[in-house]
Amino acid sequence: MRRILTLLLVAFAAALQAAPLTDAGRKALSVYQIVDDQSGDLVTTVDARYGTPSMGGSGVSLDYFAKKIPNPSSVGTLPIRSYPAGMTQSQVLAAAKDHIFANAPALFASIKSFMKANGVSVASFTFQQKVYISSLTRPKYIVWSAIIDAQSRPMYRDPVLADELPMILQAVYTSKRVMDGLPSSWSYSEGGILKYRLLDMQLQPQTSWTSIDTGGAFDEPQPGDNVAYDPDFGVKCLANKASSPSCPQGYPDMKALIDQTGAIAGILDYVRMVQPVYDQDPATGDLIARAAISVDKRTLNYAGCTSSASNLYSNEGRIGYTLITTVDRYMVAADGAYAYLNQFNGTSISPTESYSASLSVSGTASDLNAKIIEPKSNPAQLVDVSASPWNRMVVYLDPITVTGNTSQTLGVVNAPTLYAETSCDTSRPGWFKVSAIIPPGEQCHAGGCNSDYFWIERWFQFGTPASYSPANSARTYRGYWWEPIGISYDGGGSVSFSGYGTETGPSSEDGGYQCYYYEWTAYCGYTYWIVYYTTPSMPLDGISRSYTYSTLPKRREGPYFYYDSGGG
């Protein structure tokens, strides 16, 4: 029966439960040379294949050497040498080593030539020859293998003598940890598990998987751990835990498992910890985790228009990351020495994670329209979604909902001769409005002064003194404007009013002769107004107060005659 020994690493990533991996590995070549002893006749069989390892939802394909080479001997073989039946095991090994090492340079040159012509990155050569050893009834096999890496460097060890059914230990270790800052729930379902089985020389499983839960003992450290940072620390310990006193000692390593199972060597698939894909910000050079952000709710809660610094801006949403899965492959010898062989990279999308954040801001809703609170930032900070890299990450942006106290009445003057109030709203942050009008009890709605009355409104900026000259607030039905009101702000805590009550009334109309109606009584004659008043002021602290004024009611004086409704 043909026996094929390969020390090429075969990827088994069944523990990967994320979305299917997409990136393929490098093109690999595998050459097998089998020399059989058929009743003293040495018969050579050569098989050569190459292809690209493929990755799918269930892991890495075993059958990745898909292209069979029609003339495999042309790729490279070793010359045949016979070993007489009377030789001892040590004599056979010494002779085989001399023969193989003498012919290895020519073999490697031939294989490299094929690799260059066909774009192959890595290659393996496996040699197996049946021999009969003195005093043994069963045959043994000279087994020798070599790897040519991507830098065209051959790696090989001394040949060994194997039994008729040599085995390879295949092991998969899946890291339990996730990159700092990611939820632990994103870890692989088999995180921390070391599992292994035996393969024959045709890479067919001969045993079922045996699993050992190490609790993540062989995970790679992170920069914040209390050990010297070495990303391959876990691999070194898993190959041979005697390599460092810091290695975990409570679990078997590859060296022990190879010895325990009687395998000739091991293949280790080391699944690195979950981590996000990073993009470099072209503006700052910072590395930013590639994310997909949905900002599902944005709220701006106003604490009042005079307290804009304490307005609360809140964001709620979901964030998912593009994750990278890395599987490193190693060949492990029986003595625990190991060599890197190949790597597979694949990407998947993480489960989405809800987030919420709040920040005290001074802007209005329009100021914050293109701003979000950076998810996971500590302390919280605003970022512009129109700028890189956020313009690539934000997939949905909810409009801002305004809540809270969007307008306020700051103070009121309710005097016999004037009604006024100060107020503010969030449309003009840092400003307040003063509105004043002649109160209803002092308005004239009969006779020659019959008028419409209007609010006088002026805006002031907090902390900045300003004064507005009196402006008329009433107009008679014949178009005469009167009742002026002036408004001033001292830049501190009070507003004052001036001008009202000082005007000459509308007696100039029709030659100054008017009839006024008061309590169903007509007063006609030459009329003027005498009004006594004091100038009120109001605080801006929002506290209502009562005001006392020495203001006399308006009096009408001058020649007149009296007419009552009874005709008297």
Side-chain angles (χ1 to χ4, degrees):
M1 179 185 293
R2 187 173 90 171
R3 307 296 182 193
I4 301 176
L5 173 65
T6 178
L7 294 181
L8 275 179
L9 182 61
V10 180
F12 286 90
L16 306 182
Q17 299 299 321
L21 306 178
T22 56
D23 295 347
R26 295 171 290 185
K27 189 180 291 185
L29 167 70
S30 182
V31 182
Y32 309 90
Q33 181 179 359
I34 312 299
V35 180
D36 192 16
D37 188 337
Q38 300 177 358
S39 302
D41 295 328
L42 300 180
V43 179
T44 298
T45 302
V46 181
D47 184 275
R49 301 168 185 261
Y50 71 95
T52 302
S54 60
M55 304 189 75
S58 60
V60 183
S61 172
L62 281 174
D63 186 23
Y64 55 77
F65 296 107
K67 188 175 181 65
K68 189 171 183 178
I69 299 170
N71 184 17
S73 297
S74 64
V75 179
T77 60
L78 286 172
I80 298 176
R81 184 200 188 285
S82 62
Y83 299 90
M87 298 178 68
T88 65
Q89 183 166 294
S90 59
Q91 291 172 334
V92 170
L93 280 176
K97 179 179 178 180
D98 291 342
H99 172 72
I100 291 172
F101 283 14
N103 291 280
L107 170 69
F108 295 148
S110 179
I111 294 176
K112 289 178 185 180
S113 177
F114 179 89
M115 293 171 66
K116 183 177 181 181
N118 293 274
V120 175
S121 298
V122 294
S124 71
F125 176 84
T126 301
F127 176 83
Q128 177 181 298
Q129 181 174 351
K130 181 191 287 186
V131 293
Y132 290 93
I133 303 298
S134 175
S135 74
L136 293 181
T137 58
R138 68 181 189 278
K140 298 269 278 187
Y141 294 86
I142 300 170
V143 178
W144 180 75
S145 62
I147 298 291
I148 300 176
D149 66 12
Q151 284 74 42
S152 296
R153 297 174 302 189
M155 297 182 294
Y156 56 92
R157 303 178 68 83
D158 292 351
V160 296
L161 277 177
D163 288 326
E164 185 177 10
L165 293 174
M167 297 289 178
I168 300 172
L169 177 75
Q170 181 199 14
V172 177
Y173 180 77
T174 304
S175 296
K176 183 175 183 178
R177 299 183 70 170
V178 299
M179 179 68 77
D180 284 345
L182 298 182
S184 59
S185 59
W186 291 4
S187 63
Y188 299 117
S189 62
E190 292 190 340
I193 301 295
L194 170 63
K195 62 182 185 179
Y196 63 91
R197 65 181 177 180
L198 290 175
L199 306 177
D200 65 13
M201 298 304 101
Q202 293 177 320
L203 302 181
Q204 297 302 310
Q206 298 300 301
T207 64
S208 58
W209 288 106
T210 297
S211 297
I212 301 173
D213 187 353
T214 71
F218 296 105
D219 283 8
E220 62 183 291
Q222 298 202 39
D225 294 343
N226 294 323
V227 296
Y229 179 65
D230 178 2
D232 290 331
F233 178 78
V235 176
K236 294 174 181 177
C237 292
L238 186 53
N240 182 5
K241 61 186 180 182
S243 61
S244 170
S246 301
C247 289
Q249 300 297 314
Y251 306 97
D253 55 13
M254 289 290 291
K255 179 181 178 182
L257 291 175
I258 291 171
D259 182 61
Q260 174 185 320
T261 59
I264 61 172
I267 295 168
L268 172 62
D269 294 348
Y270 189 85
V271 184
R272 301 277 178 175
M273 66 181 171
V274 177
Q275 56 184 309
V277 176
Y278 288 93
D279 296 316
Q280 188 173 43
D281 188 334
T284 64
D286 295 337
L287 293 178
I288 306 295
R290 187 184 301 171
I293 303 170
S294 177
V295 187
D296 301 324
K297 184 178 181 180
R298 294 195 294 166
T299 303
L300 180 60
N301 185 72
Y302 286 107
C305 47
T306 61
S307 304
S308 58
S310 61
N311 294 340
L312 189 64
Y313 183 42
S314 301
N315 289 182
E316 296 179 17
R318 293 163 293 150
I319 182 170
Y321 290 94
T322 302
L323 303 179
I324 185 169
T325 298
T326 300
V327 182
D328 285 334
R329 298 171 169 169
Y330 300 89
M331 176 179 68
V332 183
D335 62 358
Y338 69 95
Y340 172 78
L341 176 63
N342 205 351
Q343 182 184 89
F344 294 135
N345 290 323
T347 57
S348 59
I349 300 299
S350 74
T352 58
E353 179 191 7
S354 297
Y355 78 93
S356 61
S358 298
L359 183 66
S360 293
V361 296
S362 58
T364 65
S366 59
D367 298 328
L368 298 168
N369 187 51
K371 302 289 181 61
I372 64 170
I373 303 172
E374 180 182 354
K376 302 292 186 180
S377 60
N378 186 19
Q381 60 182 1
L382 292 177
V383 293
D384 190 337
V385 296
S386 64
S388 176
W390 307 102
N391 55 358
R392 300 191 302 270
M393 296 182 183
V394 177
V395 296
Y396 175 74
L397 187 63
D398 188 57
I400 296 176
T401 300
V402 175
T403 61
N405 193 2
T406 59
S407 62
Q408 285 179 274
T409 298
L410 304 177
V412 174
V413 170
N414 191 3
T417 57
L418 181 72
Y419 179 84
E421 64 183 23
T422 55
S423 62
C424 60
D425 63 62
T426 55
S427 64
R428 295 189 69 177
W431 292 71
F432 68 94
K433 180 176 69 174
V434 179
S435 304
I437 195 170
I438 301 300
E442 283 295 298
Q443 294 179 6
C444 176
H445 295 290
C449 64
N450 191 6
S451 300
D452 291 325
Y453 290 81
F454 305 92
W455 287 93
I456 301 298
E457 297 182 346
R458 297 290 183 261
W459 282 92
F460 298 91
Q461 188 173 12
F462 285 104
T464 303
S467 179
Y468 290 93
S469 301
N472 292 317
S473 66
R475 183 181 61 184
T476 67
Y477 291 164
R478 293 195 177 191
Y480 180 84
W481 283 94
W482 63 306
E483 295 283 21
I485 301 175
I487 308 174
S488 299
Y489 168 51
D490 66 357
S494 64
V495 173
S496 58
F497 305 87
S498 63
Y500 60 95
T502 61
E503 79 290 342
T504 299
S507 59
S508 60
E509 295 180 343
D510 294 338
Y513 185 84
Q514 297 291 330
C515 291
Y516 302 95
Y517 295 89
Y518 180 71
E519 294 181 350
W520 301 102
T521 301
Y523 295 85
C524 299
Y526 294 95
T527 307
Y528 61 92
W529 300 79
I530 300 175
V531 178
Y532 302 91
Y533 69 95
T534 59
T535 300
S537 64
M538 73 173 73
L540 295 179
D541 56 9
I543 301 175
S544 299
R545 290 185 171 87
S546 298
Y547 296 86
T548 302
Y549 299 92
S550 301
T551 303
L552 299 177
K554 295 178 180 178
R555 296 187 291 115
R556 299 171 178 83
E557 297 182 358
Y560 63 90
F561 68 88
Y562 174 84
Y563 173 80
D564 64 22
S565 59

